[in-house]
Amino acid sequence: MVPFVRPFWKLVLFSTLANLLFSVSNAMVLAIVEPVFRTLFGGDAAGAATRTVPAAASGLKAQFDAFLSSFIEMATYGESIRNISIIIFVLFLVRGLTKYLGNIISTRLEEGIMKSIRDALFGHITQQSLDFFSKRKAGDIISLLTNDVGVLNHATVNSVTTLWREATTLIIYIVLLTIISAKLLAISLGVALCGLLLIRMFTKLLRTYGARLQAAQAEYTSTLQESILGIRVIKGMSVEPHFVSRFMSQTGQYVRRALKNTRVMGLIPVVNDTFGILALVTVFYVGGMEREAGNITPSNLVTFLFLLFGLMQPISVLVNTIAGMQRGIAAGANVASALDEAPTIASGSHSAASLQPKIDVHNVTFAYSDAPVLRDISFQVQEGETVALVGSSGSGKSTMLDLFLRFYDPQEGSITVDGKDIRSLDLASYRTLFGVVSQETILFNDTISNNISLGVEGADQSAIEAAARVAHAYGFITEMPNGFQTKIGDRGLRLSGGQRQRIAIARALFRNPRILLFDEATSALDTESERLVQDAIDSVLARRTAIVVAHRLSTIMKAHRILVFDQGRIVEQGTHSQLLEQNGTYARLHALQFANPS
């Protein structure tokens, strides 16, 4: 937490001072009990100058009494009552104002720190390699940024402020109690210590329960997120009861774990209050014996009991806060773990800005786990050439595109662009070489214009429109009520599949990439949409370097070269006509598709 707190050191200082003033004024409210009692029940005979400090009081206590008496006890009873009234009003006014200011400053501090943590966590997560996301459910990541950070705010940052305020009050009370009677304080603390040892056992359980609670929350958040994203499938297959049942089961698990956590949390104040009252009763008894023996004055004993009773409040708050922090510590561990995780794909240092779009794949082997997906792959892509990758599902075509984009690195072999190993290149500048259009088009809930110019602030509208024209999207965009400023809804659901794909092509072209990657860009479309998108692709491919993964062979007949993948290897390559003449794997795939086109 320290790196996130450091920029807010001024707020920390102001919060500390405000809470310190609150603690002092809070303690002083009880500290004036004795002189108030003396003034009220001692008559109006003598002023401060003629009053004597009780014989049993000496040292610091005598000095403290004399200090208070100089403000309270005046020459007449009326003046003393007036001063007491003013002091009580001022103390409660200061107490209220400092508590208010402390809360305002603490809220600003807490929200500022939590914003810093959320921003840092989101920025760190977006910089992670693709395997980070493949190993985690999307709902778990969302839960981390929302639930875990929220709990962290309540149970750590907020708690630190509370701990400081109550600990300061506790220290001031202990100092005042020590001044009155160190013996009675030692007895009361001895009794309270037994309760604290018992409470410490509970806090260990709470940390375990807190971690389980966060995990249960992540589970139902994940189901919620998956259900919303997949609502079309859920409704189309009439499986709503299944997902409702699953969600109810997970929220039920959360409730059961929350109850376990609350059972232990609920015991803590009971134990704390029980031992606190036991300490108070013990002091009352021992103090009464001390009073009878003449070792303590009645007014001092009354003040001690008042202060000890007041001490129960900060102790109770401290104990409950520390118990509540256990869940925050569990959430903090999750956040820290994510922040500590380094990307598996490390950026190089050389710029790719001046490189020519010539790709050389040399003896590449890659596996996601143990079984290789690609085996000893080698081929070249020349500038201005369109190379198509075809093959059955699972043959490694899309994985090859992932390696081009450095979503993963091969375990063996290398990929070079213009003779430079891509692992030596700066990732950001290297990826600007590519424009990508995938089968699953991802659009954002924004305007068409902003989707095409994604991430470019103040983009040139003429460049956006030019990209849309090349992608054959300009016509349908301008027919919309708000044209390029039309909002397309979550994931572009207000558009048809073909329209979404053409906007994706326009987005890929907007940055004028040197290499285009198409990953089965038409396989999910109907015949008419496929024809429109294919026309857009054909116009885009002219004069550009491109690598096209295709399921429908009709879309890649014009490619300069076709590479046929089978079980992670390139088994054939050539033009469409050459591969048909070879009567091999490609010819078999071609015959299957055109015998039963789908």
Side-chain angles (χ1 to χ4, degrees), residues 224-262:
L224 175 64
Q225 187 258 353
E226 288 177 346
S227 301
I228 292 172
L229 290 179
I231 193 65
R232 285 178 176 270
V233 176
I234 292 171
K235 285 190 167 296
M237 299 182 69
S238 294
V239 291
E240 294 97 332
H242 167 75
F243 281 88
V244 169
S245 174
R246 178 177 164 189
F247 186 78
M248 290 174 63
S249 173
Q250 290 169 341
T251 52
Q253 178 79 339
Y254 175 82
V255 169
R256 288 190 292 274
R257 291 180 179 180
L259 281 173
K260 285 185 179 180
N261 190 70
T262 303

Side-chain angles (χ1 to χ4, degrees), residues 160-342:
V160 168
T161 303
T162 303
L163 286 174
W164 161 250
R165 183 178 65 238
E166 301 303 328
T168 306
T169 303
L170 187 67
I171 291 168
I172 294 171
Y173 277 28
I174 288 174
V175 170
L176 293 174
L177 289 167
T178 304
I179 289 172
I180 296 172
S181 175
K183 178 182 177 181
L184 291 179
L185 177 62
I187 291 171
S188 59
L189 291 180
V191 175
L193 185 62
C194 298
L196 292 175
L197 292 174
L198 188 59
I199 288 169
R200 188 181 178 187
M201 295 169 56
F202 294 152
T203 58
K204 292 180 180 178
L205 279 175
L206 285 173
R207 189 171 301 188
T208 302
Y209 288 160
R212 292 174 182 172
L213 202 59
Q214 291 306 108
Q217 199 168 31
E219 282 292 323
Y220 76 69
T221 302
S222 180
T223 296
L224 175 64
Q225 187 258 353
E226 288 177 346
S227 301
I228 292 172
L229 290 179
I231 193 65
R232 285 178 176 270
V233 176
I234 292 171
K235 285 190 167 296
M237 299 182 69
S238 294
V239 291
E240 294 97 332
H242 167 75
F243 281 88
V244 169
S245 174
R246 178 177 164 189
F247 186 78
M248 290 174 63
S249 173
Q250 290 169 341
T251 52
Q253 178 79 339
Y254 175 82
V255 169
R256 288 190 292 274
R257 291 180 179 180
L259 281 173
K260 285 185 179 180
N261 190 70
T262 303
R263 286 192 194 110
V264 179
M265 279 286 291
L267 282 174
I268 289 174
V270 173
V271 172
N272 184 60
D273 291 348
T274 300
F275 278 89
I277 292 295
L278 182 59
L280 190 66
V281 170
T282 303
V283 167
F284 180 78
Y285 175 77
V286 176
M289 296 297 99
E290 291 286 293
R291 159 73 183 89
E292 186 178 32
N295 296 327
I296 190 170
T297 64
S299 60
N300 279 350
L301 179 58
V302 169
T303 303
F304 190 96
L305 289 171
F306 265 99
L307 287 169
L308 189 62
F309 190 79
L311 195 66
M312 291 176 64
Q313 163 71 13
I315 288 178
S316 178
V317 173
L318 281 170
V319 170
N320 289 333
T321 300
I322 292 170
M325 286 178 72
Q326 305 312 307
R327 186 180 173 191
I329 290 170
N334 294 339
V335 172
S337 176
L339 286 172
D340 287 341
E341 187 158 347

Side-chain angles (χ1 to χ4, degrees), residues 68-88:
L68 288 178
S69 296
S70 66
F71 288 98
I72 294 175
E73 300 180 12
M74 296 291 106
T76 67
Y77 183 75
E79 290 176 333
S80 297
I81 291 297
R82 179 199 64 196
N83 284 6
I84 288 173
S85 301
I86 292 171
I87 288 173
I88 290 174

Side-chain angles (χ1 to χ4, degrees), residues 261-425:
N261 190 70
T262 303
R263 286 192 194 110
V264 179
M265 279 286 291
L267 282 174
I268 289 174
V270 173
V271 172
N272 184 60
D273 291 348
T274 300
F275 278 89
I277 292 295
L278 182 59
L280 190 66
V281 170
T282 303
V283 167
F284 180 78
Y285 175 77
V286 176
M289 296 297 99
E290 291 286 293
R291 159 73 183 89
E292 186 178 32
N295 296 327
I296 190 170
T297 64
S299 60
N300 279 350
L301 179 58
V302 169
T303 303
F304 190 96
L305 289 171
F306 265 99
L307 287 169
L308 189 62
F309 190 79
L311 195 66
M312 291 176 64
Q313 163 71 13
I315 288 178
S316 178
V317 173
L318 281 170
V319 170
N320 289 333
T321 300
I322 292 170
M325 286 178 72
Q326 305 312 307
R327 186 180 173 191
I329 290 170
N334 294 339
V335 172
S337 176
L339 286 172
D340 287 341
E341 187 158 347
T344 54
I345 304 298
S347 177
S349 57
H350 300 292
S351 173
S354 60
L355 298 182
Q356 299 303 309
K358 295 183 294 185
I359 303 173
D360 187 359
V361 179
H362 182 67
N363 298 335
V364 163
T365 295
F366 174 78
Y368 290 107
S369 52
D370 295 332
V373 179
L374 296 172
R375 297 175 174 84
D376 198 27
I377 298 294
S378 296
F379 64 92
Q380 292 182 331
V381 181
Q382 300 300 323
E383 183 175 357
E385 186 179 26
T386 297
V387 173
L389 312 183
V390 302
S392 57
S393 297
S395 59
K397 309 181 301 296
S398 295
T399 298
M400 195 69 244
L401 296 193
D402 287 347
L403 296 183
F404 283 136
L405 290 167
R406 280 207 76 200
F407 290 158
Y408 306 95
D409 281 335
Q411 282 84 23
E412 297 177 20
S414 64
I415 301 173
T416 63
V417 173
D418 200 13
K420 300 287 186 183
D421 192 315
I422 63 174
R423 286 172 287 202
S424 69
L425 301 175

